[in-house]
Amino acid sequence: MSDTRFTGSITALITPMNRDGSLDFTSFEHLVNWQIEEGTSALCAMGTTGESPTLSHQEHHEVIERAIKVSAGRAPVIAGAGSNSTSEAVDLARHAEKAGASAVLVVTPYYNKPTQEGLYRHFMAVADAISIPVVLYNIPGRSVIDISVETMARLARHTNIIGVKDATANLLRPLQVRRAISKPFNQLSGEDGTAVSFLAAGGDGCISVTSNVAPALCAKVQAEWQAGRVADAIATQDKLLPLHDALFCESNPAPVKYAASLLGLAGETCRLPLAPLTEPSRRLVKAALIDVGLLN
């Protein structure tokens, strides 16, 4: 399993919804196809951006299954399998494996505030329950607890635990992790704004929110870096920066769903407790899309 490696621009897919909050699979299928056509290297379904906290287990399963079916082997699907209940995370991971996912993304348990030992046992339980790769998801801004470098190195000894989505925005972290872990360890940025800086620190790619609406440009950043065209990658990232900023003006995924609605990709509906964007934020997102050249 340690040979599994995800690189490039990986989209943290939104889950399109109809105005009544029901799932809009027509738009979802269109989005998956468009992402692959635009150069997205892998798809991540049912993460935070997919509104996993407010979907039922059945809906969660349906989204994962639909992403795998529509992608049809053209791009790997990383299935969100996170929960603050270890048994629930195990169940979601087992379903993802059975459905044909290429890997699972398992977020740090939120609200419970486990110790580092609790984190270790949580992730190990998931990794022991399945045979497909596990990508840790470290996002202390939402889950409060940070996976320490020491705990990550300890977890990396498990054959199935192959990498991390790092949303700490701490650019020392990929350097520290690389030094602490002897095997190849797949490090993916979870922060669009630091995508190039993360690559420079030894990262492999980015699990992106922005690529929902700008997949070609996000893929271009990664491709330019991989081709050794550093100045071009920085220039493309600079072009995207206003959009990266605007898409986090309020809680994700409300801004990116509004952006998607302006581009005709899907409706803007989010499930409560996420509220529709305020008018100032709407103006900000629309202006950013125009600035980047995605909207006339």
Side-chain angles (χ1 to χ4, degrees):
M1 286 300 167
S2 60
D3 292 336
T4 302
R5 201 166 193 81
F6 299 100
T7 61
S9 179
I10 302 163
T11 301
L13 292 167
I14 59 171
T15 303
M17 296 174 183
N18 300 305
R19 289 186 178 180
D20 63 0
S22 61
L23 303 188
D24 176 5
F25 280 116
T26 299
S27 294
F28 182 74
E29 291 184 6
H30 171 75
L31 180 66
V32 168
N33 281 318
W34 182 61
Q35 288 291 322
I36 295 169
E37 290 163 4
E38 292 287 288
T40 296
S41 61
L43 302 166
C44 184
M46 281 290 90
T48 308
T49 308
E51 296 177 76
S52 56
T54 56
L55 268 66
S56 69
H57 285 184
Q58 182 58 40
E59 288 173 325
H60 187 118
H61 292 170
E62 285 183 58
V63 172
I64 297 298
E65 290 164 8
R66 195 70 63 102
I68 292 165
K69 180 180 178 181
V70 176
S71 62
R74 293 174 294 159
V77 173
I78 304 169
S83 173
N84 60 347
S85 161
T86 302
S87 62
E88 185 175 83
V90 166
D91 286 345
L92 292 172
R94 284 176 171 157
H95 170 265
E97 179 175 28
K98 184 178 180 181
S102 298
V104 293
L105 180 70
V106 184
V107 72
T108 308
Y110 38 88
Y111 190 75
N112 312 47
K113 296 185 74 174
T115 62
Q116 291 298 310
E117 180 64 23
L119 289 180
Y120 174 77
R121 294 185 183 205
H122 173 82
F123 289 117
M124 289 292 286
V126 177
D128 284 341
I130 57 175
S131 59
I132 59 174
V134 173
V135 178
L136 310 174
Y137 182 11
N138 194 24
I139 182 165
R142 281 186 182 258
S143 61
V144 180
I145 300 299
D146 183 10
I147 309 172
S148 71
V149 174
E150 293 74 20
T151 300
M152 205 169 294
R154 192 178 168 203
L155 286 165
R157 297 181 196 132
H158 195 295
T159 309
N160 285 5
I161 298 177
I162 60 114
V164 61
K165 176 184 177 182
D166 185 322
T168 65
N170 176 2
L171 292 171
L172 280 174
R173 185 58 65 87
L175 300 171
Q176 294 165 337
V177 167
R178 200 150 41 88
R179 183 176 177 85
I181 298 174
S182 57
K183 76 177 187 182
F185 197 67
N186 198 181
Q187 296 200 70
L188 302 165
S189 171
E191 295 280 347
D192 277 297
T194 62
V196 171
S197 303
F198 196 87
L199 290 169
D204 300 301
C206 181
I207 299 181
S208 169
V209 172
T210 301
S211 59
N212 275 284
V213 294
L217 282 171
C218 291
K220 187 169 183 273
V221 170
Q222 298 290 325
E224 286 168 340
W225 180 272
Q226 290 168 6
R229 294 160 51 199
V230 175
D232 290 339
I234 292 171
T236 305
Q237 178 76 346
D238 286 348
K239 180 178 180 177
L240 279 165
L241 189 59
L243 186 56
H244 293 331
D245 289 344
L247 294 184
F248 287 90
C249 63
E250 293 186 24
S251 295
N252 178 49
V256 72
K257 277 196 154 182
Y258 177 63
S261 74
L262 291 176
L263 297 178
L265 297 170
E268 66 173 291
T269 301
C270 292
R271 286 186 179 171
L272 289 171
L274 293 181
L277 283 193
T278 61
E279 283 304 319
S281 293
R282 288 170 181 266
R283 290 193 293 271
L284 185 65
V285 169
K286 186 174 183 179
L289 288 172
I290 294 169
D291 189 2
V292 173
L294 298 174
L295 190 66
N296 294 327

